[in-house]
Amino acid sequence: MNKPTSQSEFETPKVTTGPLPGSRRVYTSPKAGPALKVPHREIDLHPTANEPPVRVYDTSGPYSDPAATIDVETGLPRHRLAWYKDRQLTEYEGRPLSPLDNGGATGKYLAREFPATHKPLKGTDGQPVTQYEFARAGIITPEMVYVAERENLGRKTAVEGAAERLADGESFGAEIPEHVTPEFVRDEIARGRAIIPANINHPELEPMIIGRNFLTKINANIGNSAVASSVEEEVDKMVWSIRWGGDTVMDLSTGKNIHNTREWILRNSPVPIGTVPIYQALEKVNGIAEDLTWEVFRDTLIEQAEQGVDYFTIHAGVRLAYVPLTADRVTGIVSRGGSIMAKWCLAHHTESFLYTHFEEICDIMRAYDVSFSLGDGLRPGSIADANDRAQFAELETLGELTKIAWAKGCQVMIEGPGHVAMHKIKANMDKQLKECHEAPFYTLGPLTTDIAPGYDHITSGIGAAMIGWFGCAMLCYVTPKEHLGLPDRDDVKVGVITYKIAAHAGDLAKGHPAAKIRDDALSRARFEFRWEDQFNLALDPETARDFHDKTLPKEAHKVAHFCSMCGPKFCSMEITREIRDRFGSARAPNAVDAGMAEKAAEFREKGGEIYLSEDGKVREPID
Amino acid sequence: MNKPTSQSEFETPKVTTGPLPGSRRVYTSPKAGPALKVPHREIDLHPTANEPPVRVYDTSGPYSDPAATIDVETGLPRHRLAWYKDRQLTEYEGRPLSPLDNGGATGKYLAREFPATHKPLKGTDGQPVTQYEFARAGIITPEMVYVAERENLGRKTAVEGAAERLADGESFGAEIPEHVTPEFVRDEIARGRAIIPANINHPELEPMIIGRNFLTKINANIGNSAVASSVEEEVDKMVWSIRWGGDTVMDLSTGKNIHNTREWILRNSPVPIGTVPIYQALEKVNGIAEDLTWEVFRDTLIEQAEQGVDYFTIHAGVRLAYVPLTADRVTGIVSRGGSIMAKWCLAHHTESFLYTHFEEICDIMRAYDVSFSLGDGLRPGSIADANDRAQFAELETLGELTKIAWAKGCQVMIEGPGHVAMHKIKANMDKQLKECHEAPFYTLGPLTTDIAPGYDHITSGIGAAMIGWFGCAMLCYVTPKEHLGLPDRDDVKVGVITYKIAAHAGDLAKGHPAAKIRDDALSRARFEFRWEDQFNLALDPETARDFHDKTLPKEAHKVAHFCSMCGPKFCSMEITREIRDRFGSARAPNAVDAGMAEKAAEFREKGGEIYLSEDGKVREPID
């Protein structure tokens, strides 16, 4: 139920802060931009590892930095403003707020406005404003320098073995570099193969890049709802989802208070925020799809662009002529945006205003550098409907629109399905690359079967890992509640972690030069029984520790160099040490080789009981 | 901790009984065996669906049949004994029970013996006893007739559209038939491409088949442990895991009471039970690997074969010469069985007794029709070690041993990895098919990344779905506790459901003629807002319902033909109905076409409030 709120009752959103276990947020500065502070996370290892900290990509923003002052009422520092000094941007009064922007909510039902107000900026005609325009003009922006440093995790040169790892992988024609340079970033953006979603009115952003020659990214959906959540909850969910690895967040809010909710989210978000503007436009016409007009939609685009939304889902590929193609489907049109536009087209029996006004949409989005996420309104909603004519007809139109958007100076990515059995996934990726001229693909899953509601993070995680490997640039998460209800905080976390797994599995398979570093560090920790390191290197250290403690709760179990697998009489690590001693090993000396024999003897004498029950036996979970 | 037990204190294991929601266990009899009662599960749909019940594969045994009398103290009916009348089997006294079989447990630490005793049966030399021998002799056994009927879900002819679906799939050279006949089963077994694990001393079994031209199967691991569980818990876990879809169960018990625990499990198990005999053999030599002897191992094989274990993991491919190949690995030898044998080989500096005595092992296993599961003792324990020389050298040896086992009349499957990045999975499948002459492959996952302990059901579910698609016949589940602790009941369920997803996704992608039926039925239910049908058709109806109720708990929400996605003012189903009305549809009339307009109008009048909060708006979870 909607929580009654008023100016006085509205609470300051509470968000989760502090570092993740065993790690620190660190910053590096790129050579090409010494003033930039690019964030990463460093996980410290136990001294016996003889290894430097493991650096990983960090999406969590200042929230995980104890040195940062977090005040949700103020918002994050607007650090990008300093990067605009050479840009021809105009500050202006902006569109006045209308009561309809918040669905006409009043009194206790109206969410409090964000305390600070900022006048919007806008680009100038004839002067580059989007990252695409700068790239085409041969100009490297601070955003480009920033994302290059970020993709490299601050490394100044290629990682050792980069060429070998690339050669060992299978990238299906991607052109992943050994080391990401700002020039490479510029080239990829200029070719339309990558985007940096970064509205000039979202200066709180820590820029990131989406493209198949970069690390695979994931998106988390949040959104307030009259039925189920409040502004506070959504701000908390945004911070929570980026804490666990969300690279971008889509605000799918509906109902009342859309404008104010979005403002709180944007001002506190270090990651790009995406929206589906047709949702808010529909609210402005009281939910009646046929009452939508270009004017209402246009007004909504400007409203959201001025606030700083970084990318818009625009379902401009749902053309009138394609609507009948869905008649024989098992699940018709399942995209909400697609349904809205199909309804509108049918009611007026005329071409979609998103399609007929597409160039004007481009002009608006270009002026603020809002990136396109061309929506797949006709995506399949079931295994039965995958790869059908309706879906592919729309995809072909999205390719046509991509070229128009590029000609207008806009950044573009393309949304994809949905529900697709495994053997039809690659065809989606291949067709998207061909039809959409290598613009980045951004897919929902796909779900590889329809029979597991309650587990659709898994049915879709399978498809997401595969399409990520095949070349999909960003994976939109699916939570366990998909098809059934609204995700809560736990669902958001499970969705994010599942999709981090999918994205990383894809990067590994492509042969990304640095992806395997974390796997290897964790595997060494596992093999050497450095339990704390294994937890801390995990995508979800809290759950890993919690699961371990459920079986072996004692603190001593996490320092002992033995585990529940084999017990003190029989240790596979000791056997490997013996093998290495006897046959020699090219592996660098580490805890196993250096002092393990001694430690093992000590353990047998002193600590041998810690895993034992009365009968002196332990077990392993699996063989 | 070990729960103290004694004859008087020992409780009768409590198991979960009763049908799954909205469904019934049904039986059909094949033409070729009218006396056989082959089980399936039928899910009833809402009358508005105008659809017959959906029949699905049922592994749950008599436990889900309210008409069955369940008495764990008696065990399941020994129905297969009636099938043996033409076989030359000898009943004999059997090996006497030794205190060492239960690890020397006494008094309150000794688990109670299973109340009933049965004399073991044994095959006769020169007379066929194994399914392989019968198949090679051109004889179709009741087991073969039974599994054919089971694979067909009782259909007497091919499903409509079978040829089209097969043509639409990608099976990588599998030869999946449109309809499974007993002759096809016999041929596949005779070629070594499929097995029916069915020890003659496990007459409680409901036979099932493992082979890449049949439905993909999954295995669940259980096992008592001195540290963490009791006999009662393990019997409950066995019943629980098959309730959710486990096709076979491996009992990986260690510690004391191995013999008695296994007897309780076997006598109550309708699914094949697998074990790793070297675990118990190691217990018999007090956990000292180098003290193992062929005689102790041989004694253990006979002990377990007499009890009725259906398949044995035998790590006979861990040859002395391969041990040094693991010296440079990141994670050495991670298979417990592999480590035990490597230790033994190193201690004695001699070839593994499993390898040197392989023909004698075959003779023992043949006499009871225990199937081989040739263990991958050198499987990779990390992404870094995948597809290395140690792993593949062992696989080549397993291929050599497969031929020997076949020559001896035994059924054989081959175990596989482990930890393998996505781009290296297919090479595993292809090499296994080639080296092992198409004997069924049975893999653990594989895990596609090492960085997510706590979520390894997902990291491995991705790999399992892929290798299942590529041709793997059975997938060994991984639970969320993998690498961290011992799975509890909830973990077992999550592991089983995840692997049912993987197996089914693989079947769909192969183009299995009947797999898509369930997806389509669920998708229709979803599209028509038949919530109860959607829950009941789900792999886990309880979780699906629970998740739905967390957002919309009222009973009315489950009968209303609207959902939280779009709300009463805007319904994508209505739009599709409109599209179908206007443009015509080849789809058979159903609830959408027949009466939906009326229902929708009624809902708007009477029930339009049920999803609304004060402001009359609802939302969708995702676009």
Short mmCIF file of all heavy atoms in Angstrom, two decimals, chain A residues 569-616:
data_model
loop_
_atom_site.label_atom_id
_atom_site.label_comp_id
_atom_site.label_asym_id
_atom_site.label_seq_id
_atom_site.Cartn_x
_atom_site.Cartn_y
_atom_site.Cartn_z
N LYS A 569 43.16 -36.53 8.60
CA LYS A 569 43.95 -37.70 8.23
C LYS A 569 44.25 -37.72 6.75
O LYS A 569 45.11 -38.45 6.27
CB LYS A 569 43.18 -38.98 8.57
CG LYS A 569 43.18 -39.26 10.06
CD LYS A 569 42.64 -40.64 10.31
CE LYS A 569 42.31 -40.81 11.79
NZ LYS A 569 41.28 -41.79 11.99
N PHE A 570 43.45 -36.95 6.02
CA PHE A 570 43.54 -37.07 4.57
C PHE A 570 43.30 -35.69 3.98
O PHE A 570 42.22 -35.17 4.06
CB PHE A 570 42.48 -38.05 4.08
CG PHE A 570 42.60 -38.24 2.61
CD1 PHE A 570 43.54 -39.12 2.11
CD2 PHE A 570 41.83 -37.51 1.74
CE1 PHE A 570 43.69 -39.27 0.75
CE2 PHE A 570 41.98 -37.66 0.38
CZ PHE A 570 42.91 -38.54 -0.12
N CYS A 571 44.34 -35.09 3.40
CA CYS A 571 44.20 -33.74 2.90
C CYS A 571 44.69 -33.68 1.46
O CYS A 571 45.84 -33.99 1.17
CB CYS A 571 45.02 -32.80 3.79
SG CYS A 571 45.17 -31.17 3.08
N SER A 572 43.79 -33.28 0.57
CA SER A 572 44.16 -33.27 -0.85
C SER A 572 45.25 -32.22 -1.11
O SER A 572 46.06 -32.35 -2.02
CB SER A 572 42.95 -33.05 -1.74
OG SER A 572 42.47 -31.75 -1.58
N MET A 573 45.29 -31.17 -0.28
CA MET A 573 46.33 -30.17 -0.45
C MET A 573 47.70 -30.78 -0.14
O MET A 573 48.68 -30.52 -0.84
CB MET A 573 46.07 -28.98 0.46
CG MET A 573 47.12 -27.90 0.31
SD MET A 573 46.68 -26.40 1.20
CE MET A 573 46.71 -26.99 2.88
N GLU A 574 47.74 -31.59 0.92
CA GLU A 574 49.00 -32.25 1.25
C GLU A 574 49.45 -33.17 0.12
O GLU A 574 50.64 -33.28 -0.17
CB GLU A 574 48.83 -33.09 2.52
CG GLU A 574 49.15 -32.34 3.79
CD GLU A 574 49.41 -33.34 4.91
OE1 GLU A 574 50.53 -33.89 5.00
OE2 GLU A 574 48.46 -33.56 5.68
N ILE A 575 48.48 -33.82 -0.49
CA ILE A 575 48.83 -34.72 -1.59
C ILE A 575 49.42 -33.93 -2.75
O ILE A 575 50.42 -34.32 -3.35
CB ILE A 575 47.59 -35.51 -2.03
CG1 ILE A 575 47.20 -36.47 -0.90
CG2 ILE A 575 47.85 -36.28 -3.33
CD1 ILE A 575 45.89 -37.15 -1.12
N THR A 576 48.83 -32.78 -3.03
CA THR A 576 49.36 -31.96 -4.11
C THR A 576 50.76 -31.45 -3.76
O THR A 576 51.65 -31.40 -4.61
CB THR A 576 48.41 -30.80 -4.40
OG1 THR A 576 47.22 -31.33 -4.96
CG2 THR A 576 49.01 -29.82 -5.40
N ARG A 577 50.97 -31.10 -2.50
CA ARG A 577 52.31 -30.67 -2.10
C ARG A 577 53.30 -31.80 -2.33
O ARG A 577 54.39 -31.60 -2.87
CB ARG A 577 52.30 -30.27 -0.62
CG ARG A 577 53.66 -29.77 -0.11
CD ARG A 577 53.68 -29.60 1.40
NE ARG A 577 53.22 -30.79 2.12
CZ ARG A 577 53.89 -31.92 2.23
NH1 ARG A 577 55.08 -32.06 1.66
NH2 ARG A 577 53.38 -32.94 2.89
N GLU A 578 52.87 -33.00 -1.97
CA GLU A 578 53.74 -34.16 -2.15
C GLU A 578 54.03 -34.36 -3.64
O GLU A 578 55.17 -34.64 -4.03
CB GLU A 578 53.02 -35.39 -1.57
CG GLU A 578 53.89 -36.61 -1.49
CD GLU A 578 53.15 -37.79 -0.84
OE1 GLU A 578 52.23 -37.54 -0.03
OE2 GLU A 578 53.48 -38.94 -1.19
N ILE A 579 53.01 -34.19 -4.45
CA ILE A 579 53.19 -34.33 -5.90
C ILE A 579 54.18 -33.28 -6.41
O ILE A 579 55.08 -33.57 -7.19
CB ILE A 579 51.84 -34.22 -6.64
CG1 ILE A 579 50.93 -35.41 -6.27
CG2 ILE A 579 52.03 -34.13 -8.15
CD1 ILE A 579 49.48 -35.26 -6.70
N ARG A 580 54.00 -32.05 -5.91
CA ARG A 580 54.89 -30.98 -6.38
C ARG A 580 56.32 -31.22 -5.92
O ARG A 580 57.27 -31.00 -6.67
CB ARG A 580 54.40 -29.62 -5.87
CG ARG A 580 53.14 -29.16 -6.60
CD ARG A 580 52.65 -27.83 -6.09
NE ARG A 580 51.38 -27.50 -6.74
CZ ARG A 580 50.58 -26.51 -6.36
NH1 ARG A 580 50.91 -25.73 -5.36
NH2 ARG A 580 49.45 -26.29 -7.00
N ASP A 581 56.45 -31.68 -4.67
CA ASP A 581 57.79 -31.98 -4.15
C ASP A 581 58.46 -33.05 -5.01
O ASP A 581 59.63 -32.95 -5.37
CB ASP A 581 57.70 -32.50 -2.72
CG ASP A 581 57.49 -31.37 -1.72
OD1 ASP A 581 57.56 -30.20 -2.16
OD2 ASP A 581 57.26 -31.66 -0.54
N ARG A 582 57.70 -34.05 -5.31
CA ARG A 582 58.28 -35.20 -5.96
C ARG A 582 58.57 -34.96 -7.44
O ARG A 582 59.58 -35.41 -7.96
CB ARG A 582 57.37 -36.42 -5.80
CG ARG A 582 58.12 -37.70 -6.14
CD ARG A 582 57.30 -38.94 -5.95
NE ARG A 582 56.84 -39.15 -4.56
CZ ARG A 582 56.34 -40.33 -4.17
NH1 ARG A 582 56.24 -41.33 -5.02
NH2 ARG A 582 55.92 -40.48 -2.94
N PHE A 583 57.64 -34.29 -8.10
CA PHE A 583 57.78 -34.16 -9.55
C PHE A 583 58.19 -32.77 -10.01
O PHE A 583 58.38 -32.52 -11.19
CB PHE A 583 56.47 -34.56 -10.24
CG PHE A 583 56.05 -35.96 -9.91
CD1 PHE A 583 55.02 -36.19 -9.02
CD2 PHE A 583 56.72 -37.06 -10.48
CE1 PHE A 583 54.64 -37.48 -8.70
CE2 PHE A 583 56.33 -38.34 -10.15
CZ PHE A 583 55.29 -38.57 -9.26
N GLY A 584 58.29 -31.83 -9.06
CA GLY A 584 58.64 -30.47 -9.43
C GLY A 584 57.43 -29.74 -9.97
O GLY A 584 56.49 -30.34 -10.48
N SER A 585 57.45 -28.43 -9.83
CA SER A 585 56.34 -27.64 -10.31
C SER A 585 56.84 -26.31 -10.80
O SER A 585 57.76 -25.72 -10.23
CB SER A 585 55.33 -27.41 -9.18
OG SER A 585 54.43 -26.39 -9.53
N ALA A 586 56.24 -25.83 -11.86
CA ALA A 586 56.60 -24.52 -12.39
C ALA A 586 55.90 -23.41 -11.61
O ALA A 586 56.15 -22.24 -11.83
CB ALA A 586 56.22 -24.45 -13.87
N ARG A 587 54.99 -23.81 -10.73
CA ARG A 587 54.24 -22.80 -10.00
C ARG A 587 55.15 -22.08 -9.00
O ARG A 587 56.01 -22.66 -8.38
CB ARG A 587 53.07 -23.43 -9.25
CG ARG A 587 51.96 -23.90 -10.19
CD ARG A 587 50.75 -24.35 -9.41
NE ARG A 587 50.30 -23.31 -8.51
CZ ARG A 587 49.68 -22.20 -8.90
NH1 ARG A 587 49.45 -21.99 -10.17
NH2 ARG A 587 49.30 -21.30 -8.02
N ALA A 588 54.89 -20.79 -8.84
CA ALA A 588 55.66 -19.99 -7.89
C ALA A 588 55.44 -20.52 -6.48
O ALA A 588 54.37 -21.03 -6.16
CB ALA A 588 55.22 -18.54 -7.98
N PRO A 589 56.47 -20.42 -5.63
CA PRO A 589 56.30 -20.89 -4.26
C PRO A 589 55.16 -20.13 -3.58
O PRO A 589 55.00 -18.93 -3.77
CB PRO A 589 57.63 -20.53 -3.58
CG PRO A 589 58.59 -20.26 -4.69
CD PRO A 589 57.77 -19.80 -5.86
N ASN A 590 54.36 -20.81 -2.85
CA ASN A 590 53.32 -20.16 -2.07
C ASN A 590 53.13 -20.95 -0.79
O ASN A 590 53.96 -21.79 -0.44
CB ASN A 590 52.01 -20.06 -2.89
CG ASN A 590 51.52 -21.44 -3.31
OD1 ASN A 590 51.94 -22.46 -2.76
ND2 ASN A 590 50.64 -21.44 -4.28
N ALA A 591 52.07 -20.68 -0.14
CA ALA A 591 51.83 -21.32 1.15
C ALA A 591 51.88 -22.85 1.04
O ALA A 591 52.39 -23.53 1.93
CB ALA A 591 50.49 -20.88 1.70
N VAL A 592 51.36 -23.37 -0.07
CA VAL A 592 51.34 -24.83 -0.21
C VAL A 592 52.75 -25.38 -0.18
O VAL A 592 53.06 -26.33 0.54
CB VAL A 592 50.64 -25.24 -1.52
CG1 VAL A 592 50.79 -26.74 -1.74
CG2 VAL A 592 49.18 -24.86 -1.48
N ASP A 593 53.61 -24.76 -0.99
CA ASP A 593 54.95 -25.29 -1.12
C ASP A 593 55.84 -24.92 0.07
O ASP A 593 56.69 -25.68 0.49
CB ASP A 593 55.57 -24.77 -2.41
CG ASP A 593 54.67 -25.05 -3.58
OD1 ASP A 593 54.53 -26.22 -3.93
OD2 ASP A 593 54.06 -24.10 -4.10
N ALA A 594 55.64 -23.71 0.56
CA ALA A 594 56.57 -23.17 1.55
C ALA A 594 56.43 -23.82 2.92
O ALA A 594 57.37 -24.39 3.45
CB ALA A 594 56.37 -21.67 1.66
N GLY A 595 55.28 -23.74 3.48
CA GLY A 595 55.21 -24.13 4.88
C GLY A 595 54.11 -25.09 5.22
O GLY A 595 53.80 -25.32 6.39
N MET A 596 53.54 -25.68 4.22
CA MET A 596 52.35 -26.47 4.48
C MET A 596 52.61 -27.74 5.25
O MET A 596 51.82 -28.15 6.09
CB MET A 596 51.66 -26.80 3.16
CG MET A 596 50.60 -25.81 2.78
SD MET A 596 49.30 -25.66 4.00
CE MET A 596 49.69 -24.32 4.97
N ALA A 597 53.73 -28.37 4.95
CA ALA A 597 54.02 -29.64 5.62
C ALA A 597 54.07 -29.41 7.13
O ALA A 597 53.48 -30.14 7.92
CB ALA A 597 55.35 -30.19 5.12
N GLU A 598 54.77 -28.34 7.48
CA GLU A 598 54.90 -27.97 8.89
C GLU A 598 53.53 -27.69 9.51
O GLU A 598 53.16 -28.19 10.56
CB GLU A 598 55.77 -26.73 8.95
CG GLU A 598 56.29 -26.40 10.33
CD GLU A 598 57.08 -25.09 10.27
OE1 GLU A 598 57.77 -24.88 9.24
OE2 GLU A 598 56.98 -24.30 11.22
N LYS A 599 52.76 -26.87 8.81
CA LYS A 599 51.42 -26.51 9.30
C LYS A 599 50.55 -27.75 9.47
O LYS A 599 49.79 -27.87 10.42
CB LYS A 599 50.74 -25.57 8.31
CG LYS A 599 51.11 -24.11 8.46
CD LYS A 599 50.09 -23.24 7.73
CE LYS A 599 50.22 -21.77 8.10
NZ LYS A 599 51.53 -21.20 7.87
N ALA A 600 50.69 -28.66 8.53
CA ALA A 600 49.86 -29.86 8.58
C ALA A 600 50.21 -30.69 9.80
O ALA A 600 49.33 -31.20 10.50
CB ALA A 600 50.06 -30.68 7.30
N ALA A 601 51.51 -30.79 10.07
CA ALA A 601 51.94 -31.56 11.23
C ALA A 601 51.41 -30.93 12.51
O ALA A 601 50.89 -31.61 13.40
CB ALA A 601 53.47 -31.61 11.25
N GLU A 602 51.54 -29.62 12.58
CA GLU A 602 51.06 -28.88 13.73
C GLU A 602 49.57 -29.10 13.94
O GLU A 602 49.08 -29.32 15.03
CB GLU A 602 51.35 -27.40 13.48
CG GLU A 602 50.91 -26.46 14.59
CD GLU A 602 50.98 -25.01 14.11
OE1 GLU A 602 51.62 -24.77 13.05
OE2 GLU A 602 50.39 -24.16 14.75
N PHE A 603 48.85 -29.07 12.82
CA PHE A 603 47.42 -29.25 12.89
C PHE A 603 47.07 -30.63 13.44
O PHE A 603 46.22 -30.79 14.29
CB PHE A 603 46.80 -29.09 11.50
CG PHE A 603 45.32 -29.28 11.49
CD1 PHE A 603 44.47 -28.23 11.82
CD2 PHE A 603 44.77 -30.51 11.17
CE1 PHE A 603 43.10 -28.41 11.83
CE2 PHE A 603 43.40 -30.69 11.18
CZ PHE A 603 42.56 -29.65 11.50
N ARG A 604 47.83 -31.63 12.97
CA ARG A 604 47.55 -32.99 13.43
C ARG A 604 47.77 -33.10 14.93
O ARG A 604 47.03 -33.76 15.63
CB ARG A 604 48.45 -33.99 12.69
CG ARG A 604 47.82 -34.54 11.42
CD ARG A 604 48.57 -35.76 10.93
NE ARG A 604 49.97 -35.45 10.64
CZ ARG A 604 50.40 -35.03 9.46
NH1 ARG A 604 49.57 -34.89 8.46
NH2 ARG A 604 51.68 -34.77 9.27
N GLU A 605 48.80 -32.40 15.39
CA GLU A 605 49.09 -32.47 16.83
C GLU A 605 48.07 -31.71 17.67
O GLU A 605 47.57 -32.18 18.66
CB GLU A 605 50.47 -31.88 17.13
CG GLU A 605 51.61 -32.84 16.87
CD GLU A 605 52.94 -32.11 17.01
OE1 GLU A 605 53.06 -31.24 17.89
OE2 GLU A 605 53.86 -32.41 16.22
N LYS A 606 47.82 -30.48 17.24
CA LYS A 606 47.06 -29.59 18.13
C LYS A 606 45.60 -29.40 17.76
O LYS A 606 44.76 -29.29 18.63
CB LYS A 606 47.74 -28.21 18.15
CG LYS A 606 49.09 -28.24 18.82
CD LYS A 606 49.55 -26.84 19.16
CE LYS A 606 50.48 -26.30 18.07
NZ LYS A 606 50.86 -24.91 18.25
N GLY A 607 45.36 -29.27 16.47
CA GLY A 607 44.03 -28.80 16.10
C GLY A 607 43.17 -29.83 15.43
O GLY A 607 42.13 -29.51 14.87
N GLY A 608 43.61 -31.05 15.47
CA GLY A 608 42.94 -32.08 14.69
C GLY A 608 41.50 -32.34 15.06
O GLY A 608 40.78 -33.01 14.34
N GLU A 609 41.10 -31.82 16.18
CA GLU A 609 39.75 -32.15 16.63
C GLU A 609 38.68 -31.21 16.07
O GLU A 609 37.50 -31.48 16.19
CB GLU A 609 39.66 -32.09 18.16
CG GLU A 609 40.52 -33.13 18.86
CD GLU A 609 41.97 -32.70 18.92
OE1 GLU A 609 42.23 -31.49 18.84
OE2 GLU A 609 42.85 -33.57 19.02
N ILE A 610 39.10 -30.10 15.49
CA ILE A 610 38.09 -29.07 15.28
C ILE A 610 36.99 -29.44 14.32
O ILE A 610 35.94 -28.85 14.35
CB ILE A 610 38.73 -27.72 14.88
CG1 ILE A 610 39.45 -27.86 13.54
CG2 ILE A 610 39.64 -27.19 15.95
CD1 ILE A 610 39.91 -26.52 13.01
N TYR A 611 37.24 -30.40 13.45
CA TYR A 611 36.16 -30.79 12.55
C TYR A 611 35.55 -32.12 12.94
O TYR A 611 34.80 -32.71 12.20
CB TYR A 611 36.66 -30.90 11.11
CG TYR A 611 37.03 -29.58 10.54
CD1 TYR A 611 38.35 -29.25 10.32
CD2 TYR A 611 36.04 -28.63 10.28
CE1 TYR A 611 38.69 -28.01 9.82
CE2 TYR A 611 36.37 -27.40 9.79
CZ TYR A 611 37.70 -27.09 9.57
OH TYR A 611 38.03 -25.88 9.09
N LEU A 612 35.94 -32.63 14.09
CA LEU A 612 35.58 -34.00 14.41
C LEU A 612 34.38 -34.08 15.33
O LEU A 612 34.18 -33.26 16.21
CB LEU A 612 36.77 -34.69 15.09
CG LEU A 612 38.06 -34.65 14.28
CD1 LEU A 612 39.12 -35.44 15.01
CD2 LEU A 612 37.83 -35.19 12.89
N SER A 613 33.60 -35.09 15.11
CA SER A 613 32.56 -35.42 16.07
C SER A 613 33.10 -36.57 16.90
O SER A 613 34.27 -36.94 16.80
CB SER A 613 31.31 -35.82 15.34
OG SER A 613 31.56 -37.02 14.66
N GLU A 614 32.24 -37.17 17.68
CA GLU A 614 32.67 -38.24 18.58
C GLU A 614 33.47 -39.35 17.88
O GLU A 614 34.39 -39.90 18.44
CB GLU A 614 31.45 -38.90 19.26
CG GLU A 614 30.67 -37.99 20.15
CD GLU A 614 29.54 -37.33 19.37
OE1 GLU A 614 29.75 -36.99 18.18
OE2 GLU A 614 28.48 -37.19 19.93
N ASP A 615 33.08 -39.63 16.67
CA ASP A 615 33.73 -40.78 16.03
C ASP A 615 34.94 -40.40 15.20
O ASP A 615 35.48 -41.22 14.47
CB ASP A 615 32.71 -41.57 15.21
CG ASP A 615 32.16 -40.72 14.07
OD1 ASP A 615 32.55 -39.53 13.98
OD2 ASP A 615 31.36 -41.24 13.30
N GLY A 616 35.34 -39.14 15.30
CA GLY A 616 36.57 -38.75 14.64
C GLY A 616 36.50 -38.71 13.12
O GLY A 616 37.50 -38.77 12.44
#
